[in-house]
Amino acid sequence: MMITEKDIATTLADFETYCRFVEERKPKLTPARSELGKKECLELDRLLSHPKGFTEPKYLQITYPSINLWFHVSLAAGFFGVEAGKGRSRILVATNRLERFRKLNPFARYLYLFRMFWTRINWDELYLETMDMLHHFFYIQIGMHALQGAVPGERLYADVENFEECYDRKNPLHRMFVGAGIVIHHLQDFGFWEYERAYIKTLNMTERDINVKAITPTRLGVAMIEGCLQRPLEMYNPFVDQKRVRRLWSEDFNQAVFGKMNRNKPTLYKIEPFEKAFEDIFPEGSLEVMDDLDADEIGESGEPNVYYFRVSLNRKLWRVIKLSEAHTLQHLHDAIQEAFGLWDDHLFAFFMNGKPWSGEAYWDKRAGKKPVADRAVVGKLRLSVGMKFLYLFDFGDEWCFTVKVERVVHEIAAFKPVIVEGCGENPEL
């Protein structure tokens, strides 16, 4: 089944609408949640293909699932960076990666966005404050197994209007429809299907809750499901808690669901390039350019990229640290410790969205959490000039350093990180 540009047109148009809106408006991020404000969300919602249809600006970004999706995808891809605005405000500013993305062909753009969603976003962060937070990825996996071989355009129905009488927790579609509605909405944004909502009075549903009574898969969705099953989220997304996966599999009723479909527990797959599972459904060679976006911009000299990070404790106390694309965040941590005269006697973490204790983090390996900083290679983090993230040292006192990508240049890389500039005396932590 070969995918055409028509199949992916709506997804690409919606994402471009989101990007153009942010580029033109440069909206201030809310101080409490670092997201788009209520007025901007209401205005942007009216421009998208699957609007919530609110009439007043009284809902947070998370209540607009499509906006929330593109917000997280665009940040994960490095298409926007967070910079200081007027006063203490913070705004989103487009990076050069966005223009490079726009130069890709439509098929590469589509799968690149989906790869960000599937492999780069912390789903606990994306689905924070929803009823689906703990099990959504597992219910989606169950549902996708049930949808193998589905007929495009054939409506699949689950009578969940009367939830208490008819819900069958051993029915894989019922589990997905009731347990992962917000993810179903996001896969609709990616063109997998159209869905119909179920309004269940007994559950005291709010505007942010989405339960589903029927979906109608598209040609694109049926084809993409096959690829998704070859790229299980728990293997390709580093933020998935493996202990949680094992615990979910150990639950009898989850095993019963797969048993009902005559399927065993999914086997472990050899890790292969993400796009390889989808290349047969897109025009030949169209996905090869995906790597162009992530490829290092090596100059004619062949010299590697070198990153200059400005690490600031405050306006009067900062250091500039130079390291190569081959170094890791562990090396950056070591350099920060040296640059500020610290003793490396506490745990640390890098929070890539700038929010302390958010899920989008790389951890000190001593903390016992994953992903770990010593496996986070700088050249593979999709960093671009102007991007900022947070380095937090000492989980008790919480010393917060802002790290900004100040420059990326082509030059001979030093064997170890180098402190090239600074201002202010070392702090007494």
Side-chain angles (χ1 to χ4, degrees), residues 328-384:
T328 68
L329 290 182
Q330 177 71 44
H331 292 120
L332 179 56
H333 155 76
D334 295 338
I336 293 173
Q337 292 288 303
E338 179 183 351
F340 288 92
L342 305 177
W343 294 91
D344 197 15
D345 52 351
H346 296 285
L347 300 179
F348 71 90
F350 289 91
F351 296 96
M352 306 311 290
N353 60 0
K355 295 186 288 187
W357 308 115
S358 64
E360 195 172 338
Y362 291 95
W363 301 89
D364 185 335
K365 61 183 178 182
R366 298 171 296 181
K369 297 183 178 183
K370 294 183 178 181
V372 291
D374 66 354
R375 300 295 297 275
V377 179
V378 169
K380 296 183 178 180
L381 293 178
R382 301 181 178 88
L383 302 175
S384 58

Side-chain angles (χ1 to χ4, degrees), residues 91-92 195:
I91 59 175
L92 292 178
Y195 77 89

Side-chain angles (χ1 to χ4, degrees), residues 78-129:
F79 296 156
F80 291 93
V82 180
E83 294 189 2
K86 294 181 179 180
R88 296 185 176 181
S89 67
R90 298 175 4 131
I91 59 175
L92 292 178
V93 177
T95 68
N96 60 0
R97 284 181 57 81
L98 179 57
E99 286 306 314
R100 291 170 59 198
F101 167 79
R102 285 170 169 153
K103 294 178 182 178
L104 300 180
N105 68 68
F107 304 104
R109 294 204 307 271
Y110 172 85
L111 196 62
Y112 192 87
L113 294 177
F114 186 75
R115 186 171 73 180
M116 291 297 101
F117 169 69
W118 200 252
T119 70
R120 289 284 297 174
I121 291 178
N122 183 331
W123 279 31
D124 283 346
E125 186 80 8
L126 176 62
Y127 299 121
L128 186 66
E129 300 182 23

